[in-house]
């Protein structure tokens, strides 16, 4: 991981902790999304929200198949949750987004944890592939259909 990536993660996690300490763990995901996006932008970061990710299968293109919650500085993809407990499927969801979009670094944040540190997971694409296996059809395209 590069120094820039480490610094970016440190900043984003700090902002998530600040949000959680001020508004708690009872809001809906959309509220955390809006607050985090605004705070990141105020800190000078470029933030894309609800970024469309398409997939293709053979000659069939499925536009807007997925939506990444936030992409920060074109380096980090963030998936937000506000649920009781994260499941394996949530980690795989972010992994799929990372594979399809080509991002090597992701952050999964569950704001409904009482201790936000228990709800933040840094994910690197090579580590996800090692743990869960490659989820696309094996070619190097970023738009391969995900197989489960």
């Amino acid at each position: 991981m590069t120094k820039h990536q480490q610094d970016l993660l440190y900043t984003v996690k700090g902002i998530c902790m600040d949000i959680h300490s001020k508004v708690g763990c009872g809001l809906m995901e959309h509220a955390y999304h809006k607050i985090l996006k605004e705070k990141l932008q105020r800190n000078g970061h470029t933030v894309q929200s609800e970024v469309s990710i398409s997939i293709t299968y053979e000659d069939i293109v499925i536009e807007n198949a997925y939506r990444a919650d936030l992409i920060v500085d074109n380096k980090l993809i963030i998936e937000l949750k506000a649920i009781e407990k994260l499941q394996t499927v949530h980690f795989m969801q972010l992994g799929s987004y990372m594979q399809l979009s080509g991002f090597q670094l992701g952050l999964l944040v569950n704001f409904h944890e009482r201790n936000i540190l228990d709800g933040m997971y840094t994910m690197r694409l090579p580590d996800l592939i090692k743990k869960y296996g490659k989820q696309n059809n094996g070619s190097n395209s970023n738009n391969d259909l995900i197989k489960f």
Side-chain angles (χ1 to χ4, degrees):
M1 189 178 317
T2 69
K3 173 90 167 89
H4 176 72
Q5 289 172 324
Q6 289 174 343
D7 292 346
L8 179 59
L9 278 169
Y10 182 83
T11 299
V12 172
K13 288 179 178 183
I15 291 171
C16 288
M17 290 187 309
D18 181 64
I19 293 167
H20 191 269
S21 71
K22 290 179 179 167
V23 300
C25 61
L27 301 180
M28 300 295 290
E29 179 182 319
H30 185 72
Y32 294 111
H33 181 123
K34 291 279 192 186
I35 295 168
L36 181 57
K37 178 184 174 191
E38 182 65 27
K39 295 265 305 187
L40 286 166
Q41 289 173 329
R42 287 182 184 181
N43 275 276
H45 295 281
T46 302
V47 182
Q48 296 171 279
S49 179
E50 297 293 327
V51 179
S52 175
I53 301 173
S54 301
I55 60 175
T56 54
Y57 174 75
E58 297 176 347
D59 63 344
I60 302 166
V61 177
I62 304 167
E63 299 290 337
N64 305 313
Y66 299 103
R67 291 212 177 269
D69 285 336
L70 297 169
I71 295 177
V72 183
D73 293 346
N74 211 30
K75 300 279 183 212
L76 174 67
I77 187 167
I78 303 174
E79 180 61 24
L80 301 175
K81 299 293 180 195
I83 57 177
E84 184 177 339
K85 183 170 175 53
L86 290 173
Q87 303 293 326
T88 300
V89 68
H90 301 118
F91 293 89
M92 293 181 75
Q93 176 186 10
L94 179 54
S96 296
Y97 293 177
M98 291 167 68
Q99 283 189 58
L100 290 167
S101 64
F103 283 90
Q104 297 295 305
L105 188 63
L107 180 65
L108 179 60
V109 181
N110 182 15
F111 277 100
H112 273 204
E113 289 285 347
R114 289 207 182 275
N115 179 350
I116 190 64
L117 293 175
D118 293 335
M120 289 193 291
Y121 297 88
T122 300
M123 299 165 54
R124 292 183 343 102
L125 186 56
D127 297 335
L128 288 171
I129 291 172
K130 185 176 180 181
K131 184 170 183 173
Y132 297 111
K134 193 163 176 137
Q135 295 175 0
N136 65 26
N137 70 8
S139 78
N140 291 327
S141 168
N142 287 339
N143 290 327
D144 294 328
L145 182 68
I146 297 172
K147 294 183 180 178
F148 292 103

